[in-house]
Amino acid sequence: MKECMDNVRKNVPLVHNITNYVTVNDVANILLACGGSPIMSDEPEDVEDITSVCGGLNINIGTLHQSSIEGMLLAGKKANELGHPVLLDPVGAGASRLRTDTTLRIMKEIKLTVIRGNISEIKTLAYGSGTTKGVDADVADAVTEETLNDAIAFVKNFARKTSCIIAVTGAIDLVSDGEICYVIRNGRPEMGKITGTGCQLSGMMTAYVTANQEKPLEAAASAVCIMGLAGEIGWSRMQEGDGNATYRNRIIDAVYQMTGEDLERGAKYEVR
């Protein structure tokens, strides 16, 4: 994992983000904090040129509109043509027909490197429908110690079916390429009180996969560990009177200040 971090900071991957306007600034800042470089564009006339000068593409469907959907498809196909990694964050898939149909269309028309979402979003993609509560996972879908074995089997099977890395994030995170699965237990429950930690992770994960294309599974797992560990470090630095806005900034600061040694010491994972 330290090597993955070093490669990001050495190569400074430029990531094209078609992301939602709720979290666009936070995504840009987390990319800068981790050592990458962000650029944002969803205009169909602009996206192919932007993707061409970047190393990776992060597609986030959090605030869809018809123009951005066209931009996602054009950028994704250009990234495929250039051999760039493409990550899909299916925010709220299952909450509306447009989100679900758009995600399934992207999966059909674009070769994806990684799909990162909560368990309800990923189940929606696997089964064609789901019970996502807005942009949050349904409690009934939660990955727990009791459901862990079944969840690992599900994620591995879906990764094999899609031929890409599946990253399911929640209280327990699962990252699999279909053969092995990283089970990651970093993070804090308070991270759920901040809008955009998942969106930030998708941006950072794209940078990690872009800078470590020979080992995308390890790169994706490293990004998950970093985000969770940053949540733990950020929470440990909270002061009396601090709230969720401060916590958001402390997480970004923790990513910025984290060393490879910090990551190796603090990452909590097993390989199954």
Side-chain angles (χ1 to χ4, degrees):
M1 289 190 173
K2 179 181 182 299
E3 183 181 352
C4 289
M5 176 182 280
D6 290 342
N7 285 339
V8 172
R9 291 176 171 170
K10 177 177 67 177
N11 295 310
V12 194
L14 181 59
V15 175
H16 178 192
N17 301 273
I18 302 179
T19 189
N20 70 78
Y21 51 68
V22 177
T23 62
V24 62
N25 184 255
D26 290 337
V27 172
N29 279 316
I30 205 79
L31 275 163
L32 292 170
C34 79
S37 181
I39 186 167
M40 278 63 180
S41 176
D42 64 5
E43 167 55 49
E45 291 187 15
D46 192 45
V47 294
E48 291 179 299
D49 288 343
I50 296 301
T51 285
S52 296
V53 300
C54 293
L57 173 64
N58 171 32
I59 298 176
N60 176 308
I61 70 161
T63 49
L64 280 179
H65 49 82
Q66 291 301 325
S67 178
S68 70
I69 294 170
E70 181 184 356
M72 291 171 185
L73 294 168
L74 288 170
K77 291 172 183 177
K78 175 59 73 170
N80 284 171
E81 178 185 320
L82 297 169
H84 294 172
V86 182
L87 180 145
L88 173 63
D89 186 340
V91 179
S96 74
R97 181 181 299 276
L98 178 64
R99 289 172 188 257
T100 302
D101 289 351
T102 298
T103 305
L104 295 174
R105 182 181 177 189
I106 289 171
M107 291 176 63
K108 181 178 180 181
E109 297 188 22
I110 299 171
K111 177 176 172 51
L112 300 170
T113 310
V114 184
I115 302 174
R116 190 222 64 83
N118 66 44
I119 185 63
S120 296
E121 292 162 347
I122 300 301
K123 282 188 173 181
T124 295
L125 306 192
Y127 303 134
S129 62
T131 56
T132 305
K133 295 182 66 179
V135 297
D136 298 319
D138 193 315
V139 173
D141 291 332
V143 179
T144 64
E145 297 296 345
E146 291 71 25
T147 64
L148 183 57
N149 288 337
D150 288 343
I152 291 171
F154 163 73
V155 172
K156 284 185 175 182
N157 287 336
F158 192 47
R160 284 193 292 268
K161 179 181 177 181
T162 57
S163 299
C164 66
I165 293 162
I166 302 298
V168 174
T169 52
I172 301 173
D173 305 309
L174 307 175
V175 185
S176 179
D177 62 354
E179 298 302 319
I180 66 173
C181 182
Y182 280 80
V183 180
I184 300 167
R185 293 181 172 85
N186 285 107
R188 293 280 311 188
E190 294 84 1
M191 295 174 76
K193 299 296 184 183
I194 302 170
T195 297
T197 51
C199 299
Q200 291 175 353
L201 174 56
S202 290
M204 182 162 63
M205 189 179 290
T206 307
Y208 266 71
V209 173
T210 300
N212 296 278
Q213 294 190 41
E214 295 182 356
K215 44 187 175 184
L217 175 65
E218 292 80 2
S222 296
V224 174
C225 287
I226 290 165
M227 193 67 188
L229 182 57
E232 296 170 12
I233 294 169
W235 187 256
S236 74
R237 294 173 177 166
M238 295 286 277
Q239 305 294 318
E240 184 178 355
D242 288 349
N244 62 342
T246 300
Y247 188 31
R248 176 191 61 192
N249 291 334
R250 292 195 186 281
I251 290 172
I252 295 172
D253 288 345
V255 170
Y256 181 82
Q257 295 169 351
M258 194 178 299
T259 66
E261 291 72 22
D262 293 333
L263 175 59
E264 295 287 357
R265 185 168 54 248
K268 304 169 187 172
Y269 67 91
E270 60 176 311
V271 178
R272 299 272 290 271

